[in-house]
Structure formats: C-alpha cells, structure tokens
C-alpha cells in the first residue's frame, strides 16, 4: 500500500506495537487475523492521509512520488507489465486500492474484507469491479 | 486490450534477507524502551506538578497556624511589657463590656473554676465593700 520499504518497515513495527498494547481489549467477536488486518489497514490509510496533508501535496503529486518509487525502488522487482499494474493501482483512491489489494493479491473473501473495512459486501463487489475496469483502461492506454 | 486475468499475479515487492527474523527483536526492544519512558514520565509529571502543590499546602497550613507575634515577640510578652495603669486606662476608654471580653477569651473549664473560686474567696472587709458600693453607685448615676 505504501510502496516504499522504509515506510512499510516503520508501519509494520507500529502495527505490531499497537497489537501488543491493545491485545487485552480484543473482544473475540471477530477472528484475530481480522482484528489485526483492521489495525493494519487503518494504520496504512492514516499514514497515506498524513503524507498528503504533511506536505500539502495535491493527490496527483503523492501518486507521482509513489509511481517513481515503483520505477526506481530497490525493493521492487517485476516485469514491465506488473510494474505498470502497480502504477495503475496508484491511480485508484486509497480505500479502493486497499480493497483491490485484499481481493486480488491476498485472496480474501468479500465477507472477510467486509468485516475488516466495515463495508457491505455489495459495496465491496461494486468497488472491486469498478477498480478492475479502471486498471484495464489504464493498461490499454499505453 | 490486456485483461487483468492475463497478467500473472506476482508480488513485485521484495523483502530484505532475515527481515522477519530480526523483526520480533526490534519490536520487543521498542516496547521495552516505551515502557521505561512511560515510567519516568509518570515520575517527572508527579515531581513537576504534585511537589509544588504539596509545598503550597504546607505553606498555607503553616501560615494559618503561625503564632501571633510582632518583631519576634508573642502577644503575652507584649502585654507583659505594658504597665498596669496604661492597660486600665485603655480598658476604661475602650468601653468594652464584659460580654465583649468574654467573646475573645477562650476559657477552659479549669480556668472558669479558678475564677469562680477566686470570686467566692474574696475576703473584703466592710470598708472595702462600702468603697465598691459607692463606686457602682457613681457609675449607675452616670448612665
């Protein structure tokens, strides 16, 4: 979600520290991995939001910065099409990109994603199919 | 037009070697560092805010319980230094009633018993009684 390895590393540590701090409050009304996933997704979205606000960058500039990291990043490898796919994903709003990643790359069910993001299954299906259409349009442009 | 299902689903993000082996240690040390910092911040908070409040409370208690004194002398010492004639003159001019005096005097039960005993032990001869009666007569006629 955040592309850069150093940012991912910081976030991963923050997420596990938060889990450690709040594990006592885990109510077991959901599965543990769902609860952990929810913390992780919230941290990622908050991080991206703060990044945009901190530098007063319009959305396009942050997208451009992350796109450059995909092209030049040392921790990123893949063929041209896969890198293009990652750049296409950056065009999506953060929440839609999150849903896409969980469905496409992590193979989570809509029900699990619904529990994590607190969004209805119907809305998620619509969001995912709309994301697929946008990505395919972007891949076709080039 | 390339379809999404035609693109192989590969993870393009690489993980550095031994990253997940080192991660638990890094997290553990951060948690330990944060808990030490929290303990010392509780202590510094209490020193910074609780101590001055405590000092003020002690100062207020001492202020209200301080002995009444002027230039190091207490009230009894000051009264002892004033001659009896001046005291009597002051009491006559001040027009203090017995009730006014009694309000300010804090008599213990033993003090009251002593006073009663002294009154009842008054041994006045007839001449002294006549002088006292004449003095009261003058006071009454002046009202």
């Amino acid at each position: 979600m955040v592309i850069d390895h150093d940012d991912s590393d910081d976030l991963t540590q923050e997420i596990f520290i938060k889990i450690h701090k709040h594990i006592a409050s885990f109510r077991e009304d959901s599965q543990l991995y769902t609860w952990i996933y929810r913390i992780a997704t919230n941290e990622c979205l908050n991080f991206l939001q703060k990044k945009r606000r901190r530098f007063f960058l319009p959305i396009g500039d942050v997208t451009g910065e992350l796109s450059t990291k995909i092209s030049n990043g040392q921790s990123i490898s893949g063929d041209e099409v896969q890198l293009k796919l990652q750049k296409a994903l950056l065009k999506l709003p953060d929440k839609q990109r999150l849903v896409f990643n969980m469905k496409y790359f992590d193979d989570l069910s809509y029900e699990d994603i619904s529990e994590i993001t607190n969004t209805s299954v119907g809305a998620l299906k619509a969001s995912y199919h709309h994301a697929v259409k946008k990505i395919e349009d972007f891949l076709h442009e080039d | 037009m390339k379809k999404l299902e035609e693109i192989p689903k590969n993870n393009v993000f690489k993980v550095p070697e031994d990253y997940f082996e080192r991660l638990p240690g890094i997290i553990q040390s951060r948690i330990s560092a944060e808990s030490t910092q929290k303990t010392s911040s509780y202590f510094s908070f209490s020193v910074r805010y609780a101590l001055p409040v405590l000092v003020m409370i002690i100062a207020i208690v001492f202020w209200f319980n301080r002995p009444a004194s002027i230039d190091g002398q207490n009230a009894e010492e000051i009264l002892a230094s004033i001659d009896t004639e001046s005291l009597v003159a002051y009491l006559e001019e001040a027009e203090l009633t017995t009730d006014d005096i009694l309000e300010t005097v804090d008599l213990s039960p033993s003090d009251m018993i002593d006073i009663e005993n002294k009154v009842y032990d008054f041994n006045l001869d007839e001449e002294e009684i006549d002088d006292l009666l004449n003095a009261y007569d003058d006071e009454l006629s002046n009202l």
Side-chain angles (χ1 to χ4, degrees), chain A residues 7 47-55 65 69:
Chain A
D7 290 338
F47 171 82
L48 288 168
Q49 207 172 21
K50 271 186 210 165
K51 194 178 180 122
R52 293 200 164 89
R53 263 190 262 135
R54 200 184 303 142
F55 299 107
E65 185 206 334
K69 284 186 178 174

Side-chain angles (χ1 to χ4, degrees), chain A residues 9 13-14 75 77 82 104, chain B residues 9-10 12 14 19 30:
Chain A
D9 185 23
Q13 291 178 32
E14 287 297 327
S75 306
S77 70
Q82 284 163 349
Y104 183 77
Chain B
K9 207 188 282 187
N10 289 334
V12 301
K14 293 186 291 184
Y19 175 77
R30 277 189 65 177

Side-chain angles (χ1 to χ4, degrees), chain B residues 4-71:
Chain B
L4 192 61
E5 56 248 28
E6 292 170 18
I7 300 170
K9 207 188 282 187
N10 289 334
N11 187 2
V12 301
F13 298 101
K14 293 186 291 184
V15 177
E17 216 175 296
D18 297 332
Y19 175 77
F20 288 110
E21 283 77 20
R22 286 183 286 111
L23 186 64
I26 294 168
I27 292 166
Q28 195 60 50
S29 58
R30 277 189 65 177
I31 289 169
S32 307
E34 275 179 27
S35 63
T36 314
Q37 198 180 27
K38 212 189 271 187
T39 317
S40 65
S41 74
Y42 284 144
F43 177 72
S44 66
F45 177 85
S46 66
V47 167
R48 202 184 306 158
Y49 296 106
L51 245 176
V53 170
L54 195 62
V55 167
M56 266 177 60
I57 291 169
I58 292 168
I60 289 167
V61 166
F62 272 115
W63 175 258
F64 282 112
N65 288 329
R66 73 191 190 286
S69 67
I70 299 169
D71 294 335

